[in-house]
Amino acid sequence: MSPHTVEIEVPEECDIEQAGETVEMDVPEDEYLLAAARDRGIWLPADCQQGWCTTCAAELLSGDVDQSDSRRYYEEDREADMILPCTAKPRSDVTFEACQYEEMLDLRAEHDQPPGRSKR
Ligand code: FES
């Protein structure tokens, strides 16, 4: 299986070297998006790297990911196109916007799901 093309849109307010840029990388289906990015020097925010804390949250703009390795990922997250790159493997070419932690907290709070309830 050939790797998928993954584009990461990094917002200006994201506190990493590539802020304001769109970066592209090839990612095989068995590699997590976060690890793939970090291997290429793109230090997206992350903490647990188990799909638990939502520090790495991002918005999926196009494509499909396998999020089944995440320890806590809800149907509502998927419906809102929010992903956890630390435990997301590409299932097609993918474009996502990084650094969406605050948005993820709002979404979780809206659905009364952790984390978020304790912070909002
Ligand atoms: S780093 Fe914790 S959910 Fe991704």
Side-chain angles (χ1 to χ4, degrees):
M1 174 65 74
S2 55
H4 298 294
T5 302
V6 174
E7 265 188 21
I8 310 173
E9 295 185 6
V10 185
E12 289 282 356
E13 60 273 20
C14 193
D15 191 21
I16 64 170
E17 189 187 324
Q18 294 82 6
E21 296 176 17
T22 298
V23 290
E24 189 177 300
M25 58 187 184
D26 289 332
V27 184
E29 290 213 332
D30 61 352
E31 196 174 348
Y32 296 128
L33 298 179
L34 179 82
R38 289 188 161 193
D39 278 353
R40 292 156 182 80
I42 305 160
W43 280 84
L44 298 176
D47 189 0
C48 73
Q49 301 197 36
Q50 296 179 25
W52 179 259
C53 69
T54 72
T55 303
C56 67
E59 181 177 1
L60 186 65
L61 302 177
S62 68
D64 188 29
V65 299
D66 177 353
Q67 202 75 73
S68 59
D69 291 342
S70 304
R71 292 188 60 197
R72 190 161 62 190
Y73 185 74
Y74 298 102
E75 191 53 38
E76 288 86 350
D77 300 339
R78 183 181 306 283
E79 287 169 3
D81 291 326
M82 297 300 284
I83 61 170
L84 300 174
C86 68
T87 41
K89 295 185 252 184
R91 288 296 173 265
S92 69
D93 290 349
V94 164
T95 302
F96 70 91
E97 183 175 21
C99 302
Q100 301 298 305
Y101 176 59
E102 292 295 328
E103 288 72 10
M104 186 61 129
L105 289 188
D106 288 344
L107 178 70
R108 292 284 179 90
E110 199 177 300
H111 295 284
D112 199 23
Q113 290 159 335
R117 196 168 18 188
S118 59
K119 295 206 169 197
R120 294 286 160 99

